[in-house]
Amino acid sequence: LVYHVVGTTMEIFKTSVGSWIYPEPNIFRIGGVPLFTGFMYSCIGSYLCRVWRLFDFRFDHHPPLWAMSILSIAIYINFFAHHYILDFRIALFAVSIALLARTKIYFRVWITYRSMPLLLGLILVSLFIWLSENIGTYTKTWLYPAQLHGWSMVSISKLGSWYLLLIISYTLVSLITKPQPMQPE
């Protein structure tokens, strides 16, 4: 629910400044934004909640939740503020890497735990979201200004945007689920 509100608020703002449009007419719209867009964002949060429980996530060197919360707030503010002041995206990437560089996520497949760097996991999920976004624009569910006269791939820079949005979602989920350390075997 929280991520639905966070996503819908951002969508209303981003469409109002022309970042993208929803060309098809629809009945359920809030400020020019179809209601389903908030559900797209909340699906990411729901996915994280589900896989966290299903794969029994455990962590080594997880950053403090207060630090992840401050980073997430800064990311969210930057999504709005970069239209009016400097874009701090590079600094936000650097802070996220500094916070998560040592973090390892463990996930259980059947009875065996496997692991990977959390940064790699977040980048992979962001990549799949970006690929899905390309499908969404190809089917004209929404369009970026450069796609109004014909489809083209979504800019690779949007992969970074999805990574930052995923940090927000991950933080919201971690505030509820509380990252547990991996127990030595």
Side-chain angles (χ1 to χ4, degrees):
L1 176 64
V2 171
Y3 209 53
H4 184 82
V5 172
V6 165
T8 301
T9 302
M10 191 183 73
E11 284 283 326
I12 291 169
F13 175 79
K14 289 292 195 175
T15 56
S16 74
V17 296
S19 293
W20 54 81
I21 62 167
Y22 292 92
E24 296 293 320
N26 55 65
I27 297 171
F28 300 108
R29 229 175 233 266
I30 300 172
V33 175
L35 191 56
F36 75 84
T37 62
F39 290 107
M40 289 190 312
Y41 289 100
S42 62
C43 284
I44 297 168
S46 295
Y47 163 78
L48 285 173
C49 285
R50 180 72 178 135
V51 296
W52 198 306
R53 282 191 285 273
L54 187 64
F55 293 107
D56 192 26
F57 285 176
R58 303 291 172 177
F59 301 89
D60 272 343
H61 305 290
H62 196 281
L65 293 179
W66 63 265
M68 292 298 293
S69 297
I70 290 171
L71 173 61
S72 294
I73 290 167
I75 290 168
Y76 195 66
I77 289 170
N78 191 67
F79 275 117
F80 296 93
H82 83 87
H83 290 279
Y84 307 107
I85 61 172
L86 290 177
D87 188 350
F88 292 101
R89 199 172 314 197
I90 299 299
L92 295 168
F93 288 135
V95 171
S96 75
I97 290 167
L99 281 174
L100 297 168
R102 295 180 54 216
T103 307
K104 189 176 247 187
I105 184 170
Y106 293 85
F107 50 95
R108 188 173 54 206
V109 179
W110 295 102
I111 57 172
T112 305
Y113 274 97
R114 304 194 189 287
S115 67
M116 71 183 333
L118 181 57
L119 270 174
L120 176 61
L122 293 171
I123 291 167
L124 288 172
V125 172
S126 300
L127 178 63
F128 287 115
I129 295 169
W130 177 79
L131 290 170
S132 298
E133 181 177 32
N134 275 285
I135 294 168
T137 59
Y138 182 76
T139 59
K140 297 184 179 177
T141 305
W142 66 92
L143 296 171
Y144 291 101
Q147 297 171 322
L148 292 176
H149 302 293
W151 184 81
S152 60
M153 293 231 6
V154 174
S155 167
I156 195 71
S157 68
K158 293 293 181 189
L159 179 61
S161 299
W162 282 115
Y163 168 78
L164 292 173
L165 276 169
L166 189 57
I167 295 283
I168 295 171
S169 186
Y170 175 84
T171 301
L172 288 170
V173 171
S174 68
L175 289 170
I176 296 166
T177 326
K178 307 288 186 233
Q180 299 298 313
M182 183 63 183
Q183 302 300 323
E185 292 184 32

